[in-house]
Structures are given as C-alpha cells and as structure tokens.
C-alpha cells in the first residue's frame, strides 16, 4: 500500500538544486564539466530540473556549486527567470546535508505566523518524466506537516534500468519510510526529489555532512515518508546510463511503469 495524495497541499515557495558534487562515477564526462551540466536531449540536467521547479510555480530557487563553479553560475544565469536564482559557491565541498544547511537563510519562506515553511530539494542529476499529475504537485499535495518532516519521491527498483544495489528505502502501509537493515533488500530507490522541513537541520553541524543524517533523525521520530513516483525515471550514474537514457528518449521508449 502506498500513501495517497491529499488535495489540500500547497506548493512550497522555495527550492534548492544540489549541483556541487564531483560526479566521479560519470567520469570522464565530468573531468571538466559539472555533472548537472551534462546534456540530455539537448538540454542540461540542471536546466531540466530548473524547468520543473519553475513549472511548479516555485519562485525562489537556490543552486549550490563547487566543481567548476563558474560553469554552474553561467548556466543558472542562462536559464533566467524571475526572481533570479541564487548561486552559492562552496569553498569546501559540503556534501548534501551541509549544502542544504548552508542554504537555509535563502530558502526561508515564513508563513503568516512567522514559522518557516518546508522547501523542495532536487538533485542536480535527477531526471524524470511526470505521470498523470506532475511529481512536484503530488509531493506538495501529499506533504502533511502535522506528521511529516520529510517526504521523498521514491522509484520502484523493478522499474529502474540500471544498477540498484540493495535499494534505498522500504515503506510501511502508511507510507513511512526507513532504510534497509543488514542483509535486507529495499524495493525503492530515492528519486532525487524531496520536500524537507527546515527544523530537521536544527543542531546539525556546520560543514560537510550527508542528508542521510537528516533522514535518520526523521526516521527515529517516525516522520520520514515516501511517495512512489507514477511516471518514468532515469538512473543517471555512469556515462553508459546517460547514453542509454538519450537513446531511449529519442526512440520514445520509456522504463516499465507499474
């Protein structure tokens, strides 16, 4: 059983695209190019992600940069849009969690009572095709701040054309997510798209750390949830993955949907 969508959700007003990683598994393509600037169907992965955020009506966009940061700055400027996205250059690679924490002042969107609202985080190499309803709209509709601190877009491993390992997460009947235990196989991969509550970062250290620490905090509190993607999703880890995705998209062949 998977968690249903709820009609009352509102789209977050801010989003971050994680574009600072080294993309080591994508070498040699990333020897002189940030992974989010690799192209798929004549458009960079970063621009695909920013397109989805703008289409969802998210006005405030933050992008972090480290590996060939000047290229990321130029690409963000070339995408355009108002208000202009903010690019945060990292002098030290902060990893996923540290990068988001450093961006929190730029992601703040207080409600009428002054409380900071949840925001979207998208991996710079995430590429997906929407199902009957846009994935970002589904996430926003399903996010319930009364019971969730994080809501992750998950993809069935059986639908992934590529190496999935032991999987990333399992779901209970209510949609609560947890990471697999030792010798346990998880049926879902993280799709690189999520909604996070800023309170998850309270007390987290400055400097580098992984978002896994944030997920573990939410799991312990019973407040990490997953929503299963109902469209196509492409695993883009290696040059072969990127080439295969390009071939499939050009031919109109999509991964199997369940």
């Amino acid at each position: 059983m998977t968690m249903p969508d709820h009609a009352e959700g509102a789209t977050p007003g801010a989003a971050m695209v994680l574009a600072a990683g080294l993309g080591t598994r994508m070498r040699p393509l990333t020897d002189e190019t940030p992974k989010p600037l690799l192209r798929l169907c004549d458009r960079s992965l970063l621009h695909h992600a920013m397109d989805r955020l703008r289409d969802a009506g998210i006005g405030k966009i933050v992008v972090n940069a480290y590996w060939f940061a000047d290229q990321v700055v130029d690409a963000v400027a070339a995408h355009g849009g108002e208000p202009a996205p903010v690019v945060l250059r990292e002098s030290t690679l902060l990893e996923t969690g540290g990068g988001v924490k450093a961006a929190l002042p730029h992601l703040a969107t207080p409600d009428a009572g002054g409380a900071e609202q949840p925001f979207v985080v998208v991996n710079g190499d995430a590429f997906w095709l929407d199902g009957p309803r846009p994935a970002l709209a589904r996430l926003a509709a399903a996010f319930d701040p009364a019971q969730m601190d994080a809501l992750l877009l998950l993809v069935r491993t059986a639908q992934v054309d590529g190496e999935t390992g032991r999987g990333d997460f399992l779901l209970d009947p209510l949609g609560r997510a947890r990471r697999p235990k030792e010798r346990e196989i998880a049926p879902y991969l993280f799709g690189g798209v999520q909604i996070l509550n800023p309170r998850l970062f309270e007390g987290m250290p400055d400097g580098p750390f992984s978002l896994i620490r944030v997920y573990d905090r939410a799991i312990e509190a019973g407040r990490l949830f997953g929503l299963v993607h109902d469209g196509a999703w492409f695993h883009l880890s290696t040059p072969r993955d990127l080439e295969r995705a390009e071939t499939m998209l050009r031919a109109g062949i999509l991964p199997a949907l369940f």
Side-chain angles (χ1 to χ4, degrees), residues 160-176:
V160 175
D161 183 18
E163 176 59 43
T164 61
R166 295 172 51 235
D168 294 331
F169 292 98
L170 297 90
L171 294 178
D172 75 7
L174 296 178
R176 285 189 178 87

Side-chain angles (χ1 to χ4, degrees), residues 166-170 178-186:
R166 295 172 51 235
D168 294 331
F169 292 98
L170 297 90
R178 66 173 176 85
R179 298 200 289 130
K181 301 174 183 177
E182 187 177 358
R183 298 182 182 177
E184 191 172 30
I185 302 298

